[in-house]
Amino acid sequence: MIRLLVLMVFVALLVAAPVQASAEDTRTAPSVSAGSEVDDLRGRWQQMSPEQQERLRERFHRFKQLPPERQEQIRRRLGQFRE
């Protein structure tokens, strides 16, 4: 269950980043916290074994194959979890 939760957090961050970036005004500089969050995620990714990275890739691809409604449901649940 915890592995699923961690995966959902990771997937939501990956999915939300492009959406968030496209919604922002491109004339504004990115915030320092957003950059450090990406750096933190990159560091976590690099610390994973190749097997762990592959498992996450597979799960991410399965997530992307879900219907948009189900993806949105997962994103909402993640948002509720973060609150």
Side-chain angles (χ1 to χ4, degrees), residues 1 4 6 15-16 19-22 27 36 38 58 61 77:
M1 185 68 177
L4 177 61
V6 170
V15 172
V19 172
Q20 193 174 26
S22 65
R27 293 173 289 172
S36 64
V38 171
E58 290 172 6
H61 289 297
R77 292 174 97 187

Side-chain angles (χ1 to χ4, degrees), residues 6 11-12 15 24 27-29 37 40-41 52-53 61 73:
V6 170
V11 167
V15 172
E24 292 177 357
R27 293 173 289 172
T28 60
E37 185 176 333
D40 290 345
L41 288 173
Q52 291 172 315
Q53 290 178 357
H61 289 297
Q73 181 185 27

Side-chain angles (χ1 to χ4, degrees), residues 17-76:
V19 172
Q20 193 174 26
S22 65
E24 292 177 357
D25 186 354
T26 57
R27 293 173 289 172
T28 60
S31 68
V32 173
S33 62
S36 64
E37 185 176 333
V38 171
D39 290 340
D40 290 345
L41 288 173
R42 184 176 295 119
R44 288 173 49 193
W45 177 260
Q46 291 171 346
Q47 289 177 351
M48 291 180 186
S49 70
E51 294 82 14
Q52 291 172 315
Q53 290 178 357
E54 184 58 32
R55 279 196 307 262
L56 275 178
R57 279 188 198 101
E58 290 172 6
R59 290 176 179 174
F60 179 70
H61 289 297
R62 285 197 315 251
F63 173 80
K64 295 301 284 181
Q65 292 174 348
L66 293 172
E69 299 83 17
R70 180 68 177 130
Q71 290 181 20
E72 184 57 35
Q73 181 185 27
I74 292 170
R75 288 184 188 109
R76 277 195 311 270

